[in-house]
């Protein structure tokens, strides 16, 4: 058997040590004081006067000390025993006063003490308070039969003592009235002392075995003190000592010891030990003996009384009538008491049988398994429920060791908990709860929860099967920490793993890296094939990621199509080599995730790419900062072209801070009206006439910095102010165009809006028409330039939106044509009026023959579709000549004018045209219509079938 198993049996039989040193010191001190008094009394104190003084005032002082001690304890304490100590204080005070009066006669006055005297009054008042105090200390009966038994027991003891005392001495004292003519008062006084002592002794003996369990040591000491006092009184009243007694004799040492014990009782007793439970594994040996004496004391007293009467009869002595009467009442009390006990025993037997049957039914019918383990750890009882819970019969478990059915991995923990439980005070922790695994009849291990109680040195275990609850808790814990779709760790568990990797012995390992992974093109797959196909792709990607990381690493799904992995460091100090190694791991992971996926049946292969950001741990970095760095690196990888791996650099965080500051300033600028609207003329390349103006926003910050659209629009696209900025641009452009028309400068205005802004719920279909109506601008004077740069936009919704705008007369231009991957698809599906060439096609059109052919082909397509064309970024005269020769109808750029304010724009419109290079000689190869200045609503431009 293992060491924990051996410890379990030994543990149940362990005995805690209880004791204290302070009580022993006081006991030794009291013993020394009493021994000194006893030696002095035995030697006569050296002189008669000192003997009288110590015999009278010494006893008075000791009794006074006892009175003060009991009184102070009663004043300071609380509970139901305070009246008893007050009565003991009064009793001791009476004894002190009686001895003081006695000393006044003998020591001060030098006279013999008269009989009767005031001292006798005080001495007679000693017993009644003590008797009542004993009644208070006794455990009160709860029934009338109990009170009757208590009275009968007291009479049995008192009557027996009275019979013996009367036979031996009291009868002789009573006859002195007739024989010697002694006064009745003196005889009554002589009889009062022994009779009160008999009552006090009867109460001491009757109540000794019925005393309360509270402050047991203090009560025992007080009872012993009173018993010692009564014994000394009995010796004093006996005929042998009564005639020869004088103060200062050895008998005074008994009274002195009784007073010292009573003074010590409330303070020196070890009350902490009284309230403690008996040590486990043992039963107090005094209880059976005490119970036997409590039951036999009345019978022994009656037997002594009967034997005394029989002895006098056998010896031929005359039996006094008082003895006969007392003996008869004792016998009668014994018979009555026996009858009451017989009836009580019958009732108790029936009640015990009913309770036994009741509890047996509860135990046997309980669904919990109740087991009793002996102090050596052997099971002594197992309830029948074990067959249903453990799959093992109760008889099979009885006699087995408790440690044999506990899982070896749990045994050490169980032994530790049992040891802690047994060492705790039972009053503070009466029970404990232990959860471990028990072996079932099939050999499986069941999770069992047991409530453990102490029982006769062993344990009572109330056990129940909680296997299903433990499984459910484990499942709930797993669900709380894992993604429900892929079963990978979620963000919470991943963050916990990162925290563990950065702490402990790996806290200084800078080779630990976190990877953030985003699947490029997943949304397109989700939109095209549906969410079910997207979920299946995520499951396959998660499986590939989980199989690609090492056993000690962690792969997780953070949400959507974002995954993460943590690669633990290997302890190397070559950081460049470690970065190269992790970069290779991330690149292999990128290639693995970029392999084709087969989704369902009939779908074919689906491809997505992976953008991965890598961040390495640094000394003192927090888990949130490390994960933020990996996230920034991933977004840098996506911004850099996707399908790549990017290592985190501190500059990335600086860029984020700059963008955040710029976004905050942008929000303030929108609120404070710091934006200005500029217009750039759109010129007809053949005539130089201004055909339209393109509205452009500029931001002049409070610091005087003029930001170009490329700087602040990029921030605005990522902020919550995108809708507000687009709405401001459209409203300001329409309002200024209407003002110019009323001033005699009617010209169309072009406003650039992103496809996402056009589909924004905050811009309903009727908002543009309401805006034109409010400012009085004809719908044909507004042209919307659609920026097709977001592949996530649905072409179906965009087409519906543009068709609705064209129905009210708004013209549509496709901005940045030739740069977006979906430009041809947009040209095929969307209702476009004007094709606006991207700046990248215009900049190299003169130098590059290849670019010249591409641009020429795109312009020919626009002309064949009946569209007008506008070249953006026409900055030099050579570009004007080349574009016009290719059939481009309009252009805007520095070759004519840059963006200008309202004042300069109106001057240009008043002039009407810009000089065009070679306008007198050159004619366009292909001709197309012009952008009308003002026109009403018109029919849609027909688009050739595709």
């Amino acid at each position: 058997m293992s060491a924990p198993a051996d410890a379990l049996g030994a543990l149940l039989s362990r005995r805690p040590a209880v004791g204290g040193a302070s009580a022993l010191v006081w006991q030794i001190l009291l013993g020394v004081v009493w021994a000194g008094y006893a030696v002095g009394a035995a030697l006569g104190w050296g002189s008669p006067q000192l003997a009288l003084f110590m015999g009278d005032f010494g006893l008075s002082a000791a009794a006074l000390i006892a009175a003060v001690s009991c009184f102070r304890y009663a004043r300071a304490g609380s509970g139901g025993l305070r009246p008893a100590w007050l009565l003991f204080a009064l009793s001791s005070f009476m004894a002190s006063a009686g001895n003081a009066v006695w000393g006044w006669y003998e020591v001060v006055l030098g006279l013999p003490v008269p009989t009767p005297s005031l001292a006798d009054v005080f001495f007679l008042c000693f017993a009644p308070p003590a008797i009542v105090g004993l009644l208070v200390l006794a455990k009160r009966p709860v029934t009338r039969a109990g009170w009757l038994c208590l009275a009968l027991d007291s009479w049995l003891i008192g009557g027996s003592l009275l019979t013996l005392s009367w036979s031996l001495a009291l009868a002789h004292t009573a006859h002195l009235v007739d024989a010697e003519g002694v006064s009745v008062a003196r005889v009554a006084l002589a009889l009062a002392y022994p009779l009160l002592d008999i009552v006090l002794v009867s109460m001491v003996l009757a109540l000794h075995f019925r005393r309360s369990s509270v402050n047991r040591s203090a009560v025992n000491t007080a009872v012993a003190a009173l018993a010692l006092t009564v014994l000394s009184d009995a010796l004093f009243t006996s005929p042998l000592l009564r005639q020869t007694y004088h103060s200062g004799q050895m008998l005074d040492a008994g009274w002195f010891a009784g007073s010292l014990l009573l003074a010590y009782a409330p303070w020196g007793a070890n009350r902490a030990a009284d309230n403690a439970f008996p040590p486990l594994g043992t039963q107090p040996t005094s209880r059976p003996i005490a119970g036997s004496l409590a039951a036999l004391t009345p019978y022994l007293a009656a037997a002594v009384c009967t034997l005394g009467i029989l002895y006098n009869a056998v010896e031929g002595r005359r039996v006094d009538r008082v003895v006969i009467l007392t003996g008869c009442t004792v016998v009668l009390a014994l018979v009555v008491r026996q009858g009451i006990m017989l009836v009580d025993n019958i009732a108790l037997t029936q009640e015990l049988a009913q309770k036994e049957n009741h509890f047996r039914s509860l135990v046997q019918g309980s669904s919990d398994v109740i087991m009793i383990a002996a102090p050596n750890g052997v099971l002594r009882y197992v309830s029948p429920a074990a067959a249903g819970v453990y799959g093992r019969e109760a008889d099979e478990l009885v006699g087995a060791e408790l440690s044999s059915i506990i899982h070896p991995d749990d045994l050490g923990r169980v032994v530790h908990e049992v040891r802690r439980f047994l060492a705790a005070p039972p009053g503070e922790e009466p029970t404990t709860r232990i959860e471990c695994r028990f072996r079932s009849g099939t050999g499986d291990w069941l999770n069992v929860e047991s409530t453990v109680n102490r029982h006769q040195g062993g344990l009572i275990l109330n056990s129940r099967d909680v296997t299903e609850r433990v499984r459910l808790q484990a499942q709930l814990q797993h669900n709380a920490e894992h993604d429900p779709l892929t079963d990978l760790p979620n963000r919470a568990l991943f963050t916990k793993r990162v925290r563990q990797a950065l702490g402990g012995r790996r806290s200084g390992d800078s080779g630990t890296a976190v990877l953030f992974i985003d699947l490029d093109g997943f949304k397109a797959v989700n939109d095209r094939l549906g969410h079910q196909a997207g979920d299946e792709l995520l499951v396959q990607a998660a499986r590939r990621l989980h199989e690609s990381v090492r056993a000690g690493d962690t792969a997780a799904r953070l949400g959507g199509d974002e995954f993460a992995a943590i690669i633990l460091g290997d302890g190397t100090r070559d950081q460049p080599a470690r970065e190269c190694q992790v970069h290779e791991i991330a690149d292999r992971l990128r290639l693995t995730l970029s392999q084709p996926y087969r989704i369902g049946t009939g779908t074919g292969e689906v491809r997505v790419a992976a953008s991965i950001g890598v961040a390495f741990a640094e000394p003192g970095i927090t888990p949130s900062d490390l994960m933020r760095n990996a996230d920034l690196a991933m977004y840098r990888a996506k911004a850099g072209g996707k399908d790549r791996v990017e290592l985190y650099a501190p500059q990335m965080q600086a860029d984020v801070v700059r963008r955040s500051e710029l976004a905050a300033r942008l929000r303030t600028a929108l609120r404070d009206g710091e934006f200005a609207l500029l217009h750039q003329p759109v010129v007809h390349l053949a005539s130089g006439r201004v055909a339209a103006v393109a509205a452009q926003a500029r931001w002049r910050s409070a610091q005087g910095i003029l930001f170009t659209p490329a700087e602040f629009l990029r921030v605005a696209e990522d902020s919550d102010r995108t809708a507000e900025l687009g709405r401001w641009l459209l409203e300001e452009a329409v309002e200024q165009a209407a003002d110019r028309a009323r001033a005699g400068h009617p010209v169309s205005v072009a406003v650039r809006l992103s496809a996402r802004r056009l589909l924004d719920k905050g811009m309903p279909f009727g908002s543009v028409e309401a805006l034109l109506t409010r400012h009085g601008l004809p719908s044909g004077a507004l042209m919307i330039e659609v920026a097709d740069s977001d592949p996530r936009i649905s072409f179906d919704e965009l087409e519906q939106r543009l068709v609705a705008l064209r129905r009210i007369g708004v013209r549509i231009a496709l901005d940045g044509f030739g740069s977006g991957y979906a430009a041809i698809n947009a040209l095929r599906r969307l209702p476009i009026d004007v094709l606006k060439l991207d700046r990248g096609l215009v900049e190299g059109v003169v130098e590059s023959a290849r670019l010249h052919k591409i641009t020429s082909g795109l312009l020919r397509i626009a002309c064949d579709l009946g569209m007008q064309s506008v070249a953006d970024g026409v900055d030099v005269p050579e570009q004007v000549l080349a574009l016009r020769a290719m059939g481009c109808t309009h252009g805007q750029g520095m070759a004519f004018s840059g963006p200008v304010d309202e004042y300069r724009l109106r001057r240009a419109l008043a002039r009407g045209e810009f000089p065009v290079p070679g306008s007198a000689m050159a004619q366009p190869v292909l001709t197309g219509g012009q952008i009308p200045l003002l026109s009403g609503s018109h029919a849609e431009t027909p688009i050739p079938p595709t």
Side-chain angles (χ1 to χ4, degrees):
M1 187 180 296
S2 61
D6 295 337
L8 183 61
L11 190 61
L12 298 181
S13 58
R14 191 165 55 96
R15 295 187 182 183
V18 178
S22 59
L24 181 61
V25 173
W26 281 103
Q27 292 170 4
I28 294 176
L29 180 61
L30 291 177
V32 170
V33 172
W34 176 82
Y37 189 92
V39 171
L43 299 179
W45 296 103
S47 67
Q49 292 297 327
L50 182 60
L52 291 177
F53 181 86
M54 293 302 297
D56 295 334
F57 290 109
L59 292 181
S60 178
L64 184 61
I65 292 174
V68 173
S69 175
C70 293
F71 180 76
R72 290 192 60 189
Y73 180 77
R75 289 280 308 268
S78 61
L81 299 185
R82 290 185 59 191
W85 296 106
L86 287 174
L87 290 170
F88 290 155
L90 177 61
S91 177
S92 298
F93 179 77
M94 292 300 171
S96 176
N99 283 292
V101 172
W102 198 288
W104 175 263
Y105 281 105
E106 288 189 337
V107 178
V108 177
L109 300 180
L111 300 174
V113 181
T115 302
S117 67
L118 184 61
D120 294 321
V121 176
F122 285 121
F123 286 141
L124 290 177
C125 290
F126 166 81
I131 294 172
V132 178
L134 289 175
L135 286 173
V136 174
L137 288 180
K139 186 185 300 183
R140 295 175 178 84
V142 296
T143 63
R144 295 179 179 178
W147 283 105
L148 182 57
C149 287
L150 177 61
L152 292 175
D153 290 344
S154 301
W155 173 245
L156 286 173
I157 299 173
S160 300
L161 293 177
L162 178 61
T163 301
L164 293 178
S165 300
W166 190 270
S167 300
L168 297 177
L170 297 183
H172 174 74
T173 303
H175 290 311
L176 290 178
V177 178
D178 299 330
E180 301 179 4
V182 181
S183 66
V184 177
R186 294 187 61 182
V187 174
L189 183 63
L191 293 177
Y193 280 109
L195 290 178
L196 286 176
D197 287 339
I198 290 174
V199 174
L200 188 58
V201 170
S202 301
M203 296 304 301
V204 168
L205 293 178
L207 298 177
H208 174 66
F209 303 107
R210 294 175 178 266
R211 64 187 181 278
S212 174
S213 59
V214 181
N215 289 349
R216 189 180 301 114
S217 296
V219 173
N220 286 342
T221 307
V223 171
L226 294 176
L228 187 59
T229 302
V230 170
L231 178 61
S232 300
D233 287 345
L235 293 176
F236 171 76
T237 57
S238 65
L240 298 178
L241 297 180
R242 180 65 175 176
Q243 303 299 328
T244 61
Y245 171 79
H246 60 83
S247 298
Q249 288 185 345
M250 190 63 187
L251 183 60
D252 293 345
W255 285 311
F256 188 81
S259 297
L260 290 183
L261 281 179
L262 191 59
Y264 165 78
W267 302 101
N270 187 1
R271 290 181 298 277
D274 297 336
N275 298 327
F277 282 77
L280 293 176
T282 61
Q283 289 293 325
T285 56
S286 61
R287 287 187 176 180
I289 298 176
S292 301
L293 290 177
L296 294 178
T297 299
Y299 301 98
L300 292 176
V304 170
C305 176
T306 304
L307 291 177
I309 297 175
L310 293 177
Y311 175 77
N312 289 332
V314 171
E315 292 294 328
R317 298 178 181 178
R318 178 176 175 273
V319 180
D320 195 277
R321 287 176 294 177
V322 175
V323 174
I324 295 176
L325 180 61
T326 304
C328 291
T329 56
V330 168
V331 174
L332 180 61
L334 183 62
V335 172
V336 174
R337 185 184 188 281
Q338 187 63 27
I340 294 174
M341 293 299 298
L342 181 61
V343 173
D344 283 347
N345 288 337
I346 294 175
L348 288 175
T349 302
Q350 293 176 351
E351 182 180 359
L352 181 61
Q354 292 177 356
K355 289 184 177 181
E356 183 179 356
N357 294 332
H358 174 69
F359 286 108
R360 185 182 301 276
S361 301
L362 289 178
V363 170
Q364 294 182 352
S366 173
S367 59
D368 294 346
V369 180
I370 299 175
M371 300 184 296
I372 300 178
N376 58 0
V378 177
L379 295 175
R380 298 188 304 185
Y381 174 79
V382 179
S383 66
V389 176
Y390 301 153
R392 304 175 67 175
E393 295 296 332
D395 296 340
E396 178 186 348
L397 292 175
V398 173
E401 293 191 2
L402 181 60
S403 58
S404 64
I405 62 175
I406 299 177
H407 195 284
D409 295 341
D410 299 340
L411 188 56
R413 177 172 54 84
V414 172
V415 170
H416 175 76
E417 175 62 20
V418 171
R419 179 181 291 114
R420 186 203 62 79
F421 171 64
L422 294 179
E428 297 179 4
E429 189 173 5
T431 64
T432 187
R433 182 165 297 182
I434 298 176
E435 188 169 328
C436 60
R437 286 168 289 181
F438 278 7
R439 186 188 300 276
S440 68
T442 59
D444 299 330
W445 293 102
L446 303 176
N447 293 93
V448 175
E449 182 184 67
S450 302
T451 301
V452 183
N453 295 271
R454 301 171 177 87
H455 175 69
Q456 297 182 356
L459 299 175
I460 295 180
L461 296 93
N462 191 352
S463 306
R464 63 198 62 87
D465 184 9
V466 293
T467 304
E468 290 301 323
R469 190 195 72 186
V470 171
R471 290 176 181 172
L472 179 59
Q473 289 177 345
Q475 184 63 39
L476 293 176
Q477 182 69 20
H478 180 85
N479 294 342
E481 295 181 341
H482 289 77
D483 176 59
L485 178 62
T486 62
D487 203 39
L488 289 180
N490 58 14
R491 183 182 293 272
L493 182 56
F494 183 75
T495 304
K496 179 180 178 181
R497 297 280 176 84
V498 173
R499 185 178 296 108
Q500 293 174 351
L502 297 180
R505 60 184 182 89
R506 296 182 180 273
S507 57
D509 192 354
S510 59
T512 298
V514 171
L515 279 63
F516 266 45
I517 306 159
D518 185 83
L519 299 182
D520 303 322
F522 170 75
K523 188 178 186 306
V525 174
N526 217 17
D527 294 339
R528 182 165 56 91
L529 301 179
H531 291 284
Q532 184 174 359
D535 291 345
E536 189 173 349
L537 188 148
L538 290 176
V539 171
Q540 294 186 25
R543 186 181 302 115
R544 294 183 186 183
L545 178 61
H546 179 70
E547 293 174 353
S548 300
V549 299
R550 299 175 303 179
D553 299 335
T554 300
R557 183 192 178 204
L558 304 183
D561 59 342
E562 291 188 359
F563 295 85
I566 179 172
I567 301 177
L568 301 178
D570 55 3
T572 180
R573 298 186 178 275
D574 190 354
Q575 189 64 19
R578 178 60 178 171
E579 291 182 0
C580 182
Q581 180 185 8
V582 173
H583 192 282
E584 292 178 357
I585 294 174
D587 200 54
R588 288 197 303 269
L589 185 58
R590 179 187 63 82
L591 294 175
T592 300
L593 295 175
S594 301
Q595 295 298 318
Y597 295 85
R598 183 167 295 278
I599 307 298
T601 58
T603 305
E605 293 183 346
V606 177
R607 290 181 177 270
V608 293
S611 297
I612 302 178
V614 182
F616 285 90
E618 301 173 358
I621 193 171
T622 63
S624 59
D625 290 343
L626 180 59
M627 296 172 64
R628 180 206 61 196
N629 295 343
D631 196 23
L632 291 175
M634 183 196 71
Y635 278 105
R636 178 59 62 90
K638 293 179 70 68
K642 303 179 180 179
D643 194 17
R644 59 198 303 267
V645 177
E646 189 77 30
L647 295 180
Y648 170 78
Q651 182 60 34
M652 297 179 184
Q653 179 62 22
D655 292 343
V656 171
V657 173
R658 177 181 174 277
R659 288 169 62 87
S660 300
E661 293 176 350
L662 189 58
R665 290 161 59 190
L666 178 61
R667 289 191 292 269
T668 304
L670 285 170
R671 185 183 65 249
D672 298 341
E674 296 180 2
F675 277 92
L677 188 64
L678 303 182
H679 293 84
Q680 188 173 25
V682 178
V683 180
H684 191 272
L685 296 183
S687 63
R689 183 170 55 86
V690 178
V693 293
Q696 298 180 7
R698 291 293 187 271
W699 173 26
R700 187 178 299 278
S701 68
Q703 292 78 15
I705 303 175
L706 187 66
F707 292 99
T708 62
E711 292 178 296
F712 69 80
L713 288 179
R714 181 173 60 253
V715 178
E717 290 175 358
D718 296 336
S719 69
D720 296 334
R721 301 296 177 179
T722 305
E724 185 177 350
L725 180 60
R727 181 168 56 253
W728 176 88
L729 178 62
L730 181 60
E731 290 183 357
E732 193 72 15
V734 170
E735 182 180 1
Q736 292 188 17
D739 291 341
R740 285 191 298 270
R742 286 190 291 268
H745 302 290
V747 63
S748 298
V749 62
V751 180
R752 184 180 185 273
L753 295 176
S754 66
R756 176 181 290 276
R757 171 62 185 140
L758 285 171
L759 297 179
D760 190 1
K761 301 298 183 181
M763 186 179 179
F765 287 156
S767 60
V768 176
E769 184 177 7
L771 179 63
L772 295 173
T773 303
R774 184 169 67 251
H775 292 287
L777 183 68
S779 60
L782 176 63
M783 182 167 62
I784 301 296
E785 296 178 354
V786 181
D788 178 36
S789 60
D790 193 344
R792 296 171 292 180
I793 295 300
S794 171
F795 268 87
D796 295 335
E797 296 181 8
L798 183 59
E799 182 180 5
Q800 295 176 7
R801 179 62 167 159
L802 296 181
V803 168
L805 289 173
R806 289 194 74 227
R807 285 199 183 103
I808 64 174
V810 178
R811 298 175 64 80
I812 307 299
L814 183 61
D815 186 41
F817 185 78
S819 62
Y821 76 96
I824 300 298
N825 191 29
L827 191 63
R828 180 178 65 86
R829 299 186 56 183
L830 301 180
I832 304 300
D833 296 310
V834 178
L835 188 68
K836 192 169 184 178
L837 295 179
D838 185 68
R839 178 181 291 271
L841 296 176
V842 178
E843 289 178 347
V845 71
V846 178
E847 295 83 4
S848 174
R850 184 182 182 88
L851 190 59
H852 187 282
K853 293 180 179 180
I854 294 174
T855 306
S856 177
L858 294 177
L859 289 171
R860 185 177 298 277
I861 293 174
C863 183
D864 292 342
L865 294 176
M867 298 180 184
Q868 297 171 1
S869 56
V870 177
D872 188 16
V874 182
D875 297 332
V876 295
E878 292 79 8
Q879 295 173 346
V880 176
L881 295 174
L883 291 170
R884 188 174 58 192
M886 284 185 266
C888 184
T889 58
H890 299 80
Q892 67 181 79
M894 297 305 296
F896 308 107
S897 173
V900 295
D901 56 19
E902 187 65 21
Y903 173 75
R904 294 180 182 180
L905 176 61
R906 293 195 179 191
R907 288 182 58 187
L909 292 177
R911 189 169 60 247
E913 61 182 21
F914 289 92
V916 178
S919 59
M921 297 176 292
Q923 296 294 331
V925 177
L926 300 173
T927 60
Q930 298 181 356
I931 301 177
L933 297 178
L934 284 171
S935 62
S937 179
H938 56 80
E940 297 180 12
T941 302
I943 299 177
T946 57

